[in-house]
Amino acid sequence: MPYVCELGTGQRVYLDNQGSQTVVTIASGSPGQQQQASNGFQTGTWTSPPSLYRTGNGVVLKIETAQGEHFVQLQGSSMSVMGQTPSLGSAQQMSVQQVSSTPASSMPPMKPMEPMKPMEPMKPMEPMKPMQMGNMQMNMNPMEMRMGNMELKMGSSEPSSAPSSGNRKFCSNCGATVQPDDRFCGSCGHQLH
């Protein structure tokens, strides 16, 4: 038979011995807003009802089995098995009552998740068509951009038919293309040399 203990502030702990496992469920909340956390611990079959103690660090659950005593620390909604026997001399023993069921046992068991189907390989993308706006044209593969008499190519292994940017000069004032022997920008009149 499962047991319940009121921890206060709307929190209850349910304890159940299912075979060799102790199932601890902490339920909290107000009507319409319930939360619960469950955990199972390998303890063996109980030889006496569980007991709970309020300590300075939370609540300690004591389980007695044929294999010995087991202690579980409860703090908020977290629970963990204690590696050593705690000192319970100054701890306050809490009232534990038998109940007909625990909240976890009234929930239907969850179905195991279906394995995911393998992903289909991606189909190769169709090459993008060149984009054109006014006198600007842009290709994506290889990356090329032309605007007026300017051209920019990236990732292309083919030699460019346009003059390379090493032979080109640009006005430091307005960015317009100028010839290497120009002394003034034809666009803004800025002195180049």
Side-chain angles (χ1 to χ4, degrees), residues 93-173:
Q93 186 163 2
M94 303 172 75
S95 172
V96 179
Q97 300 161 353
Q98 261 189 327
V99 290
S100 57
S101 67
T102 65
S105 63
S106 63
M107 290 175 55
M110 289 179 63
K111 293 179 186 173
M113 287 181 64
E114 294 285 325
M116 285 181 63
K117 292 181 177 132
M119 290 179 65
E120 301 260 337
M122 287 182 63
K123 294 177 183 164
M125 289 180 59
E126 290 184 25
M128 289 185 71
K129 294 182 175 125
M131 294 183 280
Q132 189 148 3
M133 291 186 338
N135 70 345
M136 184 177 95
Q137 182 179 6
M138 194 166 155
N139 290 323
M140 295 306 282
N141 195 10
M143 178 74 169
E144 297 176 338
M145 189 166 110
R146 285 187 203 93
M147 191 160 93
N149 63 352
M150 291 190 294
E151 183 176 328
L152 172 70
K153 288 188 175 197
M154 296 175 69
S156 173
S157 58
E158 299 173 20
S160 172
S161 58
S164 71
S165 60
N167 296 343
R168 289 188 166 193
K169 288 194 164 202
F170 300 93
C171 172
S172 60
N173 188 47

Side-chain angles (χ1 to χ4, degrees), residues 24-25 29 32 34 75 84 94-96 102 118 163:
V24 181
T25 302
Q34 298 289 323
Q75 289 180 308
Q84 53 190 345
M94 303 172 75
S95 172
V96 179
T102 65

